Amino acid sequence: MGVAAAIGLGTTWIALTRGIAYGGVTIGAWTAWPKNGTPGIDPYAKAMMARTGELPVGSGDGVAFYAREDDAGQGLDGRCDVLVSGITPQARFWTLTLYDPQGRLVANSMQRQGFTSQQIIRKSDGSFDIVIGPRARPGNWLPTGGVEKYVLVLRLYDTPIGVATRTGREAPMPAISKRACQ
Amino acid sequence: MRLALWLLGALLLGGIVHLATVLVLPTLASQDAYARVSAIAPVNAVIAVPPPTPEKAVMPFMDPAFAMSVCRYDLSRGALKFSVPISQAYTSVSFYTRSDVAYYAINDRAAGRRVIELDLMTAAQRADLPENEEITAADRLIVTSPTNTGLIVIRALVPEEGWLASARGALAAAQCRLQ
């Protein structure tokens, strides 16, 4: 009986804290769960949200892509410079925001926690480079405040990307690559 | 053999415990989004949600590029009328059940006019609507809530500094009240 309870509660705890959820769309380093913004949300995602207290982005509103690692699979470290470059899928607006792993904004001297698609300086072909790091940079610089771990969330608003999206050809997400560390 | 059977039994029972806790947890959660919003929002009224800061946020993973208001609704005493003028950049209205499930969302472009206007009711209230009235006209949007209580989240994007006043102004004019 005790063993059974331990197995049951243990697996529940692991499932809800490790972020195991079904129906995710992974494109490069980014993963979205468009189904979480619909009544078809799976029980694990629902339980996870009840625990963390966040509200999913409704599917008629937009979709949120999360990145905890770079393209090489290394965790995002606020003591390093990380380059986010490329283009985003079709959307009327998008926002890129930096959070700590618990979903809190990170304090920094610039009071800047993210960018919107209108605040970005772009190259002539429409692509962009955003440097995320602890030290000030010219151009699109997103400060990390030097935190050890962080999460990037790219939210697309008024977008055709959603539950039917499967591949990166439909949704070209920006690359995430690590540069120098402090 | 005996031990193997015990282990198998424990695994099966563990599986049941696991599934049961996953399914029951959302109804027991005391710090879910609905509970967090309830702490600041009266019933059937629109209230501004303070923007998230590193020190304090009503919910985790809030998008700081938006101004946000909520209406915590209770339809047990009747249907609700909701309206919000659209802001300059992007405005959306999302509906969540008591257990934080997003069941409907609409944005300014989908609404196709300067004001997002709709009636929110339960399935029973919708069934009670008189049929003879011309209320099924295309310009009346009716949203059906799966639960008696829930949240309407109104968000206006602030794409650049300087657009904050427009976004807040639109949200300040939002209304949600019993019919």
Side-chain angles (χ1 to χ4, degrees), chain B residues 78-148:
Chain B
L80 203 75
K81 259 203 175 323
F82 174 84
S83 69
V84 61
I86 65 173
S87 68
Q88 277 175 292
Y90 173 79
T91 311
S92 74
V93 184
S94 308
F95 295 77
Y96 299 88
T97 66
R98 168 64 190 86
S99 50
D100 311 308
V101 172
Y103 63 90
Y104 184 72
I106 188 170
N107 64 41
D108 47 8
R109 195 171 53 92
R113 53 173 91 185
R114 305 299 305 167
V115 180
I116 301 176
E117 238 178 331
L118 52 90
D119 293 341
L120 181 68
M121 55 190 77
T122 62
Q125 285 161 350
R126 186 166 194 168
D128 284 346
L129 282 181
E131 271 177 46
N132 53 348
E133 283 179 42
E134 290 299 311
I135 50 169
T136 43
D139 57 17
R140 188 178 177 194
L141 178 61
I142 297 178
V143 177
T144 310
S145 172
T147 50
N148 263 336

Side-chain angles (χ1 to χ4, degrees), chain A residues 79-150:
Chain A
R79 297 164 297 189
C80 301
D81 281 344
V82 166
L83 180 68
V84 174
S85 65
I87 53 171
T88 56
Q90 193 192 331
R92 184 140 63 105
F93 290 99
W94 55 258
T95 65
L96 177 73
T97 314
L98 188 149
Y99 300 92
D100 74 6
Q102 280 73 46
R104 288 179 295 237
L105 298 173
V106 175
N108 61 73
S109 55
M110 292 280 289
Q111 302 296 327
R112 182 188 289 163
Q113 275 88 27
F115 285 111
T116 72
S117 46
Q118 291 201 1
Q119 291 169 328
I120 290 285
I121 304 158
R122 290 167 200 271
K123 295 183 246 182
S124 54
D125 63 355
S127 68
F128 57 81
D129 286 340
I130 299 172
V131 176
I132 302 169
R135 284 175 309 260
R137 291 302 189 92
N140 305 313
W141 171 56
L142 190 53
T144 62
V147 287
E148 201 175 320
K149 277 182 176 177
Y150 64 90

Side-chain angles (χ1 to χ4, degrees), chain A residues 151-175:
Chain A
V151 184
L152 292 175
V153 182
L154 182 71
R155 294 186 177 89
L156 309 168
Y157 293 103
D158 200 354
T159 174
I161 306 302
V163 284
T165 304
R166 284 285 158 267
T167 66
R169 208 177 317 152
E170 299 164 65
M173 296 296 289

Side-chain angles (χ1 to χ4, degrees), chain B residues 13 16 59 107 144 149:
Chain B
L13 210 56
I16 292 166
M59 290 168 272
N107 64 41
T144 310
T149 54

